[in-house]
PDB file of all heavy atoms in Angstrom:
ATOM      1  N   ARG A  15     -10.504  -7.044 -11.802  1.00 88.00           N
ATOM      2  CA  ARG A  15     -10.706  -5.596 -11.834  1.00 88.00           C
ATOM      3  C   ARG A  15      -9.552  -4.766 -11.320  1.00 88.00           C
ATOM      4  O   ARG A  15      -8.885  -5.155 -10.414  1.00 88.00           O
ATOM      5  CB  ARG A  15     -12.033  -5.242 -11.213  1.00 88.00           C
ATOM      6  CG  ARG A  15     -11.994  -5.517  -9.771  1.00 88.00           C
ATOM      7  CD  ARG A  15     -13.428  -5.096  -9.095  1.00 88.00           C
ATOM      8  NE  ARG A  15     -13.602  -5.591  -7.800  1.00 88.00           N
ATOM      9  CZ  ARG A  15     -13.130  -4.948  -6.626  1.00 88.00           C
ATOM     10  NH1 ARG A  15     -12.456  -3.796  -6.775  1.00 88.00           N
ATOM     11  NH2 ARG A  15     -13.329  -5.457  -5.500  1.00 88.00           N
ATOM     12  N   GLU A  16      -9.438  -3.512 -11.882  1.00 88.00           N
ATOM     13  CA  GLU A  16      -8.473  -2.600 -11.456  1.00 88.00           C
ATOM     14  C   GLU A  16      -8.929  -2.149 -10.067  1.00 88.00           C
ATOM     15  O   GLU A  16     -10.103  -1.832  -9.782  1.00 88.00           O
ATOM     16  CB  GLU A  16      -8.414  -1.472 -12.400  1.00 88.00           C
ATOM     17  CG  GLU A  16      -7.349  -0.460 -12.012  1.00 88.00           C
ATOM     18  CD  GLU A  16      -7.242   0.669 -12.898  1.00 88.00           C
ATOM     19  OE1 GLU A  16      -7.995   0.720 -13.934  1.00 88.00           O
ATOM     20  OE2 GLU A  16      -6.444   1.590 -12.713  1.00 88.00           O
ATOM     21  N   LEU A  17      -7.950  -1.958  -9.184  1.00 91.00           N
ATOM     22  CA  LEU A  17      -8.179  -1.492  -7.820  1.00 91.00           C
ATOM     23  C   LEU A  17      -7.935   0.021  -7.780  1.00 91.00           C
ATOM     24  O   LEU A  17      -6.836   0.548  -7.745  1.00 91.00           O
ATOM     25  CB  LEU A  17      -7.303  -2.133  -6.710  1.00 91.00           C
ATOM     26  CG  LEU A  17      -7.300  -3.749  -6.752  1.00 91.00           C
ATOM     27  CD1 LEU A  17      -6.314  -4.118  -5.747  1.00 91.00           C
ATOM     28  CD2 LEU A  17      -8.747  -4.091  -6.368  1.00 91.00           C
ATOM     29  N   VAL A  18      -9.022   0.790  -7.921  1.00 87.00           N
ATOM     30  CA  VAL A  18      -8.883   2.304  -7.950  1.00 87.00           C
ATOM     31  C   VAL A  18      -8.903   2.970  -6.540  1.00 87.00           C
ATOM     32  O   VAL A  18      -8.292   3.887  -6.356  1.00 87.00           O
ATOM     33  CB  VAL A  18     -10.040   2.938  -8.812  1.00 87.00           C
ATOM     34  CG1 VAL A  18      -9.520   3.113 -10.213  1.00 87.00           C
ATOM     35  CG2 VAL A  18     -11.225   2.143  -8.805  1.00 87.00           C
ATOM     36  N   ILE A  19      -9.562   2.286  -5.675  1.00 93.00           N
ATOM     37  CA  ILE A  19      -9.641   2.727  -4.251  1.00 93.00           C
ATOM     38  C   ILE A  19      -8.668   1.765  -3.434  1.00 93.00           C
ATOM     39  O   ILE A  19      -9.040   0.815  -2.898  1.00 93.00           O
ATOM     40  CB  ILE A  19     -11.046   2.647  -3.733  1.00 93.00           C
ATOM     41  CG1 ILE A  19     -12.022   3.324  -4.561  1.00 93.00           C
ATOM     42  CG2 ILE A  19     -11.103   3.118  -2.273  1.00 93.00           C
ATOM     43  CD1 ILE A  19     -13.514   3.262  -4.231  1.00 93.00           C
ATOM     44  N   PHE A  20      -7.404   2.281  -3.497  1.00 96.00           N
ATOM     45  CA  PHE A  20      -6.251   1.585  -2.969  1.00 96.00           C
ATOM     46  C   PHE A  20      -5.270   2.517  -2.357  1.00 96.00           C
ATOM     47  O   PHE A  20      -5.051   3.607  -3.031  1.00 96.00           O
ATOM     48  CB  PHE A  20      -5.549   0.779  -4.038  1.00 96.00           C
ATOM     49  CG  PHE A  20      -4.425  -0.025  -3.605  1.00 96.00           C
ATOM     50  CD1 PHE A  20      -4.613  -1.474  -3.418  1.00 96.00           C
ATOM     51  CD2 PHE A  20      -3.209   0.476  -3.334  1.00 96.00           C
ATOM     52  CE1 PHE A  20      -3.497  -2.198  -2.984  1.00 96.00           C
ATOM     53  CE2 PHE A  20      -2.117  -0.277  -2.975  1.00 96.00           C
ATOM     54  CZ  PHE A  20      -2.284  -1.620  -2.775  1.00 96.00           C
ATOM     55  N   GLU A  21      -4.827   2.322  -1.224  1.00 97.00           N
ATOM     56  CA  GLU A  21      -3.844   3.234  -0.523  1.00 97.00           C
ATOM     57  C   GLU A  21      -2.889   2.419   0.347  1.00 97.00           C
ATOM     58  O   GLU A  21      -3.297   1.326   0.829  1.00 97.00           O
ATOM     59  CB  GLU A  21      -4.564   4.250   0.264  1.00 97.00           C
ATOM     60  CG  GLU A  21      -3.670   5.407   0.711  1.00 97.00           C
ATOM     61  CD  GLU A  21      -3.070   6.165  -0.270  1.00 97.00           C
ATOM     62  OE1 GLU A  21      -3.745   6.850  -1.105  1.00 97.00           O
ATOM     63  OE2 GLU A  21      -1.871   6.237  -0.411  1.00 97.00           O
ATOM     64  N   ALA A  22      -1.751   2.923   0.549  1.00 98.00           N
ATOM     65  CA  ALA A  22      -0.652   2.222   1.325  1.00 98.00           C
ATOM     66  C   ALA A  22       0.039   3.256   2.195  1.00 98.00           C
ATOM     67  O   ALA A  22       0.245   4.430   1.802  1.00 98.00           O
ATOM     68  CB  ALA A  22       0.274   1.413   0.421  1.00 98.00           C
ATOM     69  N   TRP A  23       0.530   2.810   3.359  1.00 98.00           N
ATOM     70  CA  TRP A  23       1.190   3.651   4.286  1.00 98.00           C
ATOM     71  C   TRP A  23       2.524   2.878   4.779  1.00 98.00           C
ATOM     72  O   TRP A  23       2.324   1.699   5.015  1.00 98.00           O
ATOM     73  CB  TRP A  23       0.438   4.021   5.460  1.00 98.00           C
ATOM     74  CG  TRP A  23      -0.833   4.764   5.057  1.00 98.00           C
ATOM     75  CD1 TRP A  23      -0.941   6.187   5.022  1.00 98.00           C
ATOM     76  CD2 TRP A  23      -2.094   4.168   4.717  1.00 98.00           C
ATOM     77  NE1 TRP A  23      -2.310   6.471   4.538  1.00 98.00           N
ATOM     78  CE2 TRP A  23      -2.976   5.279   4.430  1.00 98.00           C
ATOM     79  CE3 TRP A  23      -2.528   2.967   4.569  1.00 98.00           C
ATOM     80  CZ2 TRP A  23      -4.269   5.172   3.950  1.00 98.00           C
ATOM     81  CZ3 TRP A  23      -3.905   2.678   4.158  1.00 98.00           C
ATOM     82  CH2 TRP A  23      -4.740   3.801   3.880  1.00 98.00           C
ATOM     83  N   LYS A  24       3.575   3.545   4.986  1.00 97.00           N
ATOM     84  CA  LYS A  24       4.891   2.913   5.445  1.00 97.00           C
ATOM     85  C   LYS A  24       4.890   2.914   6.951  1.00 97.00           C
ATOM     86  O   LYS A  24       4.951   4.093   7.556  1.00 97.00           O
ATOM     87  CB  LYS A  24       6.050   3.543   4.826  1.00 97.00           C
ATOM     88  CG  LYS A  24       7.347   2.776   5.110  1.00 97.00           C
ATOM     89  CD  LYS A  24       8.505   3.378   4.377  1.00 97.00           C
ATOM     90  CE  LYS A  24       9.779   2.581   4.743  1.00 97.00           C
ATOM     91  NZ  LYS A  24      10.935   3.206   4.044  1.00 97.00           N
ATOM     92  N   ALA A  25       5.011   1.789   7.567  1.00 97.00           N
ATOM     93  CA  ALA A  25       5.225   1.750   9.026  1.00 97.00           C
ATOM     94  C   ALA A  25       6.674   1.650   9.413  1.00 97.00           C
ATOM     95  O   ALA A  25       7.530   1.605   8.464  1.00 97.00           O
ATOM     96  CB  ALA A  25       4.513   0.403   9.524  1.00 97.00           C
ATOM     97  N   ARG A  26       6.970   1.770  10.628  1.00 96.00           N
ATOM     98  CA  ARG A  26       8.410   1.853  10.970  1.00 96.00           C
ATOM     99  C   ARG A  26       9.034   0.534  10.894  1.00 96.00           C
ATOM    100  O   ARG A  26      10.269   0.437  10.709  1.00 96.00           O
ATOM    101  CB  ARG A  26       8.569   2.376  12.439  1.00 96.00           C
ATOM    102  CG  ARG A  26       8.912   3.766  12.547  1.00 96.00           C
ATOM    103  CD  ARG A  26       9.136   4.204  13.927  1.00 96.00           C
ATOM    104  NE  ARG A  26       7.861   4.059  14.613  1.00 96.00           N
ATOM    105  CZ  ARG A  26       7.457   4.770  15.632  1.00 96.00           C
ATOM    106  NH1 ARG A  26       8.170   5.787  16.039  1.00 96.00           N
ATOM    107  NH2 ARG A  26       6.268   4.743  16.119  1.00 96.00           N
ATOM    108  N   SER A  27       8.348  -0.604  11.083  1.00 96.00           N
ATOM    109  CA  SER A  27       8.816  -1.852  10.998  1.00 96.00           C
ATOM    110  C   SER A  27       7.715  -2.945  10.564  1.00 96.00           C
ATOM    111  O   SER A  27       6.469  -2.517  10.580  1.00 96.00           O
ATOM    112  CB  SER A  27       9.301  -2.265  12.519  1.00 96.00           C
ATOM    113  OG  SER A  27       8.157  -2.442  13.373  1.00 96.00           O
ATOM    114  N   ALA A  28       8.183  -4.039  10.290  1.00 95.00           N
ATOM    115  CA  ALA A  28       7.235  -5.135   9.908  1.00 95.00           C
ATOM    116  C   ALA A  28       6.246  -5.429  11.057  1.00 95.00           C
ATOM    117  O   ALA A  28       5.150  -5.716  10.860  1.00 95.00           O
ATOM    118  CB  ALA A  28       7.952  -6.399   9.417  1.00 95.00           C
ATOM    119  N   ARG A  29       6.803  -5.441  12.339  1.00 95.00           N
ATOM    120  CA  ARG A  29       6.010  -5.735  13.437  1.00 95.00           C
ATOM    121  C   ARG A  29       4.865  -4.726  13.613  1.00 95.00           C
ATOM    122  O   ARG A  29       3.724  -5.018  13.848  1.00 95.00           O
ATOM    123  CB  ARG A  29       6.781  -5.848  14.761  1.00 95.00           C
ATOM    124  CG  ARG A  29       6.184  -5.955  16.042  1.00 95.00           C
ATOM    125  CD  ARG A  29       5.292  -7.198  16.135  1.00 95.00           C
ATOM    126  NE  ARG A  29       5.947  -8.320  15.924  1.00 95.00           N
ATOM    127  CZ  ARG A  29       5.319  -9.482  15.487  1.00 95.00           C
ATOM    128  NH1 ARG A  29       4.050  -9.496  15.374  1.00 95.00           N
ATOM    129  NH2 ARG A  29       5.997 -10.773  15.383  1.00 95.00           N
ATOM    130  N   GLU A  30       5.307  -3.438  13.390  1.00 96.00           N
ATOM    131  CA  GLU A  30       4.290  -2.406  13.544  1.00 96.00           C
ATOM    132  C   GLU A  30       3.204  -2.544  12.445  1.00 96.00           C
ATOM    133  O   GLU A  30       2.048  -2.307  12.648  1.00 96.00           O
ATOM    134  CB  GLU A  30       4.963  -1.007  13.520  1.00 96.00           C
ATOM    135  CG  GLU A  30       4.067   0.184  13.604  1.00 96.00           C
ATOM    136  CD  GLU A  30       4.788   1.520  13.559  1.00 96.00           C
ATOM    137  OE1 GLU A  30       4.994   2.059  12.479  1.00 96.00           O
ATOM    138  OE2 GLU A  30       5.029   1.971  14.675  1.00 96.00           O
ATOM    139  N   ALA A  31       3.643  -2.853  11.266  1.00 96.00           N
ATOM    140  CA  ALA A  31       2.717  -2.968  10.112  1.00 96.00           C
ATOM    141  C   ALA A  31       1.742  -4.155  10.413  1.00 96.00           C
ATOM    142  O   ALA A  31       0.518  -4.030  10.272  1.00 96.00           O
ATOM    143  CB  ALA A  31       3.474  -3.232   8.831  1.00 96.00           C
ATOM    144  N   ALA A  32       2.265  -5.239  10.979  1.00 95.00           N
ATOM    145  CA  ALA A  32       1.491  -6.359  11.333  1.00 95.00           C
ATOM    146  C   ALA A  32       0.468  -6.090  12.446  1.00 95.00           C
ATOM    147  O   ALA A  32      -0.722  -6.518  12.374  1.00 95.00           O
ATOM    148  CB  ALA A  32       2.362  -7.532  11.769  1.00 95.00           C
ATOM    149  N   ASP A  33       0.928  -5.257  13.432  1.00 96.00           N
ATOM    150  CA  ASP A  33      -0.034  -4.902  14.500  1.00 96.00           C
ATOM    151  C   ASP A  33      -1.216  -3.983  13.912  1.00 96.00           C
ATOM    152  O   ASP A  33      -2.284  -4.120  14.324  1.00 96.00           O
ATOM    153  CB  ASP A  33       0.654  -4.020  15.515  1.00 96.00           C
ATOM    154  CG  ASP A  33       1.675  -4.829  16.371  1.00 96.00           C
ATOM    155  OD1 ASP A  33       1.611  -6.179  16.300  1.00 96.00           O
ATOM    156  OD2 ASP A  33       2.516  -4.274  17.104  1.00 96.00           O
ATOM    157  N   ILE A  34      -0.872  -3.105  13.030  1.00 97.00           N
ATOM    158  CA  ILE A  34      -1.914  -2.303  12.440  1.00 97.00           C
ATOM    159  C   ILE A  34      -2.869  -3.225  11.567  1.00 97.00           C
ATOM    160  O   ILE A  34      -4.118  -3.035  11.665  1.00 97.00           O
ATOM    161  CB  ILE A  34      -1.243  -1.165  11.482  1.00 97.00           C
ATOM    162  CG1 ILE A  34      -0.513  -0.203  12.293  1.00 97.00           C
ATOM    163  CG2 ILE A  34      -2.412  -0.473  10.744  1.00 97.00           C
ATOM    164  CD1 ILE A  34       0.417   0.684  11.592  1.00 97.00           C
ATOM    165  N   GLU A  35      -2.280  -4.138  10.837  1.00 97.00           N
ATOM    166  CA  GLU A  35      -3.159  -5.127  10.048  1.00 97.00           C
ATOM    167  C   GLU A  35      -4.006  -5.852  11.032  1.00 97.00           C
ATOM    168  O   GLU A  35      -5.209  -5.915  10.712  1.00 97.00           O
ATOM    169  CB  GLU A  35      -2.209  -5.996   9.274  1.00 97.00           C
ATOM    170  CG  GLU A  35      -2.946  -7.126   8.484  1.00 97.00           C
ATOM    171  CD  GLU A  35      -2.127  -8.202   8.031  1.00 97.00           C
ATOM    172  OE1 GLU A  35      -1.124  -8.584   8.660  1.00 97.00           O
ATOM    173  OE2 GLU A  35      -2.281  -8.675   6.833  1.00 97.00           O
ATOM    174  N   ARG A  36      -3.507  -6.349  12.018  1.00 96.00           N
ATOM    175  CA  ARG A  36      -4.306  -7.148  12.988  1.00 96.00           C
ATOM    176  C   ARG A  36      -5.447  -6.258  13.554  1.00 96.00           C
ATOM    177  O   ARG A  36      -6.551  -6.794  13.676  1.00 96.00           O
ATOM    178  CB  ARG A  36      -3.400  -7.720  14.143  1.00 96.00           C
ATOM    179  CG  ARG A  36      -4.194  -8.354  15.321  1.00 96.00           C
ATOM    180  CD  ARG A  36      -5.109  -9.422  14.995  1.00 96.00           C
ATOM    181  NE  ARG A  36      -4.492 -10.524  14.299  1.00 96.00           N
ATOM    182  CZ  ARG A  36      -5.171 -11.483  13.641  1.00 96.00           C
ATOM    183  NH1 ARG A  36      -6.489 -11.327  13.546  1.00 96.00           N
ATOM    184  NH2 ARG A  36      -4.536 -12.375  13.046  1.00 96.00           N
ATOM    185  N   ARG A  37      -5.276  -5.051  13.886  1.00 97.00           N
ATOM    186  CA  ARG A  37      -6.255  -4.168  14.351  1.00 97.00           C
ATOM    187  C   ARG A  37      -7.433  -4.063  13.461  1.00 97.00           C
ATOM    188  O   ARG A  37      -8.587  -4.146  13.861  1.00 97.00           O
ATOM    189  CB  ARG A  37      -5.648  -2.720  14.611  1.00 97.00           C
ATOM    190  CG  ARG A  37      -6.759  -1.715  15.124  1.00 97.00           C
ATOM    191  CD  ARG A  37      -5.981  -0.397  15.169  1.00 97.00           C
ATOM    192  NE  ARG A  37      -6.963   0.579  15.628  1.00 97.00           N
ATOM    193  CZ  ARG A  37      -7.058   1.044  16.984  1.00 97.00           C
ATOM    194  NH1 ARG A  37      -6.201   0.435  17.841  1.00 97.00           N
ATOM    195  NH2 ARG A  37      -7.877   1.904  17.315  1.00 97.00           N
ATOM    196  N   PHE A  38      -7.162  -3.902  12.146  1.00 97.00           N
ATOM    197  CA  PHE A  38      -8.191  -3.797  11.259  1.00 97.00           C
ATOM    198  C   PHE A  38      -8.916  -5.130  10.842  1.00 97.00           C
ATOM    199  O   PHE A  38     -10.022  -5.211  10.480  1.00 97.00           O
ATOM    200  CB  PHE A  38      -7.712  -2.974   9.907  1.00 97.00           C
ATOM    201  CG  PHE A  38      -7.585  -1.491  10.295  1.00 97.00           C
ATOM    202  CD1 PHE A  38      -6.418  -1.012  10.475  1.00 97.00           C
ATOM    203  CD2 PHE A  38      -8.680  -0.726  10.400  1.00 97.00           C
ATOM    204  CE1 PHE A  38      -6.212   0.296  10.729  1.00 97.00           C
ATOM    205  CE2 PHE A  38      -8.550   0.689  10.695  1.00 97.00           C
ATOM    206  CZ  PHE A  38      -7.285   1.160  10.809  1.00 97.00           C
ATOM    207  N   LEU A  39      -8.092  -6.248  10.853  1.00 97.00           N
ATOM    208  CA  LEU A  39      -8.709  -7.574  10.757  1.00 97.00           C
ATOM    209  C   LEU A  39      -9.629  -7.848  11.812  1.00 97.00           C
ATOM    210  O   LEU A  39     -10.808  -8.321  11.612  1.00 97.00           O
ATOM    211  CB  LEU A  39      -7.669  -8.599  10.682  1.00 97.00           C
ATOM    212  CG  LEU A  39      -6.751  -8.699   9.493  1.00 97.00           C
ATOM    213  CD1 LEU A  39      -5.559  -9.620   9.636  1.00 97.00           C
ATOM    214  CD2 LEU A  39      -7.468  -9.042   8.318  1.00 97.00           C
ATOM    215  N   ASP A  40      -9.329  -7.415  12.935  1.00 96.00           N
ATOM    216  CA  ASP A  40     -10.136  -7.586  14.188  1.00 96.00           C
ATOM    217  C   ASP A  40     -11.431  -6.745  14.057  1.00 96.00           C
ATOM    218  O   ASP A  40     -12.445  -7.076  14.663  1.00 96.00           O
ATOM    219  CB  ASP A  40      -9.469  -7.232  15.548  1.00 96.00           C
ATOM    220  CG  ASP A  40      -8.488  -8.280  15.896  1.00 96.00           C
ATOM    221  OD1 ASP A  40      -8.403  -9.392  15.225  1.00 96.00           O
ATOM    222  OD2 ASP A  40      -7.581  -7.923  16.768  1.00 96.00           O
ATOM    223  N   ARG A  41     -11.363  -5.655  13.381  1.00 95.00           N
ATOM    224  CA  ARG A  41     -12.592  -4.715  13.129  1.00 95.00           C
ATOM    225  C   ARG A  41     -13.479  -5.268  11.954  1.00 95.00           C
ATOM    226  O   ARG A  41     -14.494  -4.636  11.666  1.00 95.00           O
ATOM    227  CB  ARG A  41     -12.183  -3.403  12.964  1.00 95.00           C
ATOM    228  CG  ARG A  41     -11.535  -2.851  14.179  1.00 95.00           C
ATOM    229  CD  ARG A  41     -11.068  -1.333  14.107  1.00 95.00           C
ATOM    230  NE  ARG A  41     -12.446  -0.557  14.145  1.00 95.00           N
ATOM    231  CZ  ARG A  41     -12.316   0.786  13.979  1.00 95.00           C
ATOM    232  NH1 ARG A  41     -11.217   1.449  13.738  1.00 95.00           N
ATOM    233  NH2 ARG A  41     -13.510   1.480  14.100  1.00 95.00           N
ATOM    234  N   GLY A  42     -13.033  -6.311  11.318  1.00 95.00           N
ATOM    235  CA  GLY A  42     -13.950  -6.961  10.235  1.00 95.00           C
ATOM    236  C   GLY A  42     -13.441  -6.835   8.812  1.00 95.00           C
ATOM    237  O   GLY A  42     -14.032  -7.305   7.950  1.00 95.00           O
ATOM    238  N   MET A  43     -12.219  -6.270   8.651  1.00 95.00           N
ATOM    239  CA  MET A  43     -11.743  -6.188   7.275  1.00 95.00           C
ATOM    240  C   MET A  43     -11.290  -7.579   6.841  1.00 95.00           C
ATOM    241  O   MET A  43     -10.895  -8.391   7.570  1.00 95.00           O
ATOM    242  CB  MET A  43     -10.446  -5.221   7.116  1.00 95.00           C
ATOM    243  CG  MET A  43     -10.820  -3.723   7.086  1.00 95.00           C
ATOM    244  SD  MET A  43      -9.401  -2.743   6.744  1.00 95.00           S
ATOM    245  CE  MET A  43     -10.068  -1.142   6.780  1.00 95.00           C
ATOM    246  N   ALA A  44     -11.354  -7.738   5.481  1.00 93.00           N
ATOM    247  CA  ALA A  44     -10.917  -8.991   4.960  1.00 93.00           C
ATOM    248  C   ALA A  44      -9.376  -8.966   4.798  1.00 93.00           C
ATOM    249  O   ALA A  44      -8.764  -7.883   4.857  1.00 93.00           O
ATOM    250  CB  ALA A  44     -11.490  -9.192   3.400  1.00 93.00           C
ATOM    251  N   GLY A  45      -8.848 -10.259   4.852  1.00 93.00           N
ATOM    252  CA  GLY A  45      -7.325 -10.277   4.755  1.00 93.00           C
ATOM    253  C   GLY A  45      -6.923 -11.518   5.509  1.00 93.00           C
ATOM    254  O   GLY A  45      -7.763 -12.202   6.056  1.00 93.00           O
ATOM    255  N   SER A  46      -5.588 -11.721   5.611  1.00 86.00           N
ATOM    256  CA  SER A  46      -5.115 -12.799   6.298  1.00 86.00           C
ATOM    257  C   SER A  46      -3.912 -12.411   7.065  1.00 86.00           C
ATOM    258  O   SER A  46      -3.009 -11.928   6.454  1.00 86.00           O
ATOM    259  CB  SER A  46      -4.820 -14.083   5.456  1.00 86.00           C
ATOM    260  OG  SER A  46      -3.891 -13.714   4.441  1.00 86.00           O
ATOM    261  N   HIS A  47      -3.902 -12.586   8.356  1.00 78.00           N
ATOM    262  CA  HIS A  47      -2.710 -12.203   9.094  1.00 78.00           C
ATOM    263  C   HIS A  47      -1.578 -13.219   8.929  1.00 78.00           C
ATOM    264  O   HIS A  47      -1.795 -14.360   8.914  1.00 78.00           O
ATOM    265  CB  HIS A  47      -3.097 -12.228  10.598  1.00 78.00           C
ATOM    266  CG  HIS A  47      -2.114 -11.556  11.527  1.00 78.00           C
ATOM    267  ND1 HIS A  47      -1.638 -10.193  11.336  1.00 78.00           N
ATOM    268  CD2 HIS A  47      -1.235 -12.133  12.431  1.00 78.00           C
ATOM    269  CE1 HIS A  47      -0.773  -9.944  12.298  1.00 78.00           C
ATOM    270  NE2 HIS A  47      -0.533 -11.180  12.938  1.00 78.00           N
ATOM    271  N   GLY A  48      -0.456 -12.703   8.668  1.00 72.00           N
ATOM    272  CA  GLY A  48       0.731 -13.496   8.380  1.00 72.00           C
ATOM    273  C   GLY A  48       1.178 -13.452   6.932  1.00 72.00           C
ATOM    274  O   GLY A  48       0.648 -12.701   6.172  1.00 72.00           O
ATOM    275  N   GLY A  49       2.108 -14.248   6.614  1.00 71.00           N
ATOM    276  CA  GLY A  49       2.746 -14.247   5.274  1.00 71.00           C
ATOM    277  C   GLY A  49       3.615 -13.065   4.978  1.00 71.00           C
ATOM    278  O   GLY A  49       4.053 -12.806   3.815  1.00 71.00           O
ATOM    279  N   TRP A  50       4.061 -12.250   6.001  1.00 75.00           N
ATOM    280  CA  TRP A  50       4.942 -11.202   5.873  1.00 75.00           C
ATOM    281  C   TRP A  50       6.346 -11.536   6.291  1.00 75.00           C
ATOM    282  O   TRP A  50       6.526 -12.557   7.033  1.00 75.00           O
ATOM    283  CB  TRP A  50       4.466  -9.936   6.484  1.00 75.00           C
ATOM    284  CG  TRP A  50       4.109 -10.215   8.010  1.00 75.00           C
ATOM    285  CD1 TRP A  50       2.950 -10.599   8.541  1.00 75.00           C
ATOM    286  CD2 TRP A  50       4.958 -10.026   9.168  1.00 75.00           C
ATOM    287  NE1 TRP A  50       3.004 -10.673   9.927  1.00 75.00           N
ATOM    288  CE2 TRP A  50       4.196 -10.384  10.341  1.00 75.00           C
ATOM    289  CE3 TRP A  50       6.257  -9.659   9.296  1.00 75.00           C
ATOM    290  CZ2 TRP A  50       4.780 -10.302  11.590  1.00 75.00           C
ATOM    291  CZ3 TRP A  50       6.834  -9.607  10.509  1.00 75.00           C
ATOM    292  CH2 TRP A  50       6.088  -9.880  11.763  1.00 75.00           C
ATOM    293  N   ASN A  51       7.299 -10.718   5.878  1.00 83.00           N
ATOM    294  CA  ASN A  51       8.647 -10.973   6.349  1.00 83.00           C
ATOM    295  C   ASN A  51       9.240  -9.645   6.918  1.00 83.00           C
ATOM    296  O   ASN A  51       8.479  -8.650   6.947  1.00 83.00           O
ATOM    297  CB  ASN A  51       9.614 -11.428   5.169  1.00 83.00           C
ATOM    298  CG  ASN A  51       9.562 -10.502   3.966  1.00 83.00           C
ATOM    299  OD1 ASN A  51       9.684  -9.370   4.116  1.00 83.00           O
ATOM    300  ND2 ASN A  51       9.348 -11.078   2.794  1.00 83.00           N
ATOM    301  N   GLU A  52      10.462  -9.547   7.235  1.00 89.00           N
ATOM    302  CA  GLU A  52      11.061  -8.425   7.883  1.00 89.00           C
ATOM    303  C   GLU A  52      11.020  -7.100   7.053  1.00 89.00           C
ATOM    304  O   GLU A  52      11.095  -6.092   7.453  1.00 89.00           O
ATOM    305  CB  GLU A  52      12.487  -8.712   8.247  1.00 89.00           C
ATOM    306  CG  GLU A  52      12.617  -9.649   9.394  1.00 89.00           C
ATOM    307  CD  GLU A  52      14.192 -10.066   9.687  1.00 89.00           C
ATOM    308  OE1 GLU A  52      14.951  -9.211   9.356  1.00 89.00           O
ATOM    309  OE2 GLU A  52      14.363 -11.030  10.314  1.00 89.00           O
TER     310      GLU A  52
END
C-alpha cells in the first residue's frame, strides 16, 4: 500500500539519527536498529 502518512527529518549525523531512532524504538515503534551507514 502507498504510505500517505510518512515524514522524514534530516539529522546532523548518522549517529544522531540512530540515537533518535533508538529513542522511538524504545518507546514501542516498529523498526530495527542498525543497517545504517555514515
Side-chain angles (χ1 to χ4, degrees):
R15 62 181 165 84
E16 184 182 357
L17 302 177
V18 265
I19 303 176
F20 182 101
E21 189 63 61
W23 301 267
K24 186 176 183 181
R26 262 185 292 219
S27 67
R29 173 58 57 202
E30 184 177 83
D33 289 347
I34 295 167
E35 178 190 39
R36 171 54 60 199
R37 178 185 182 98
F38 287 102
L39 289 171
D40 289 347
R41 294 183 78 186
M43 282 190 181
S46 60
H47 189 68
W50 51 272
N51 60 44
E52 291 179 21

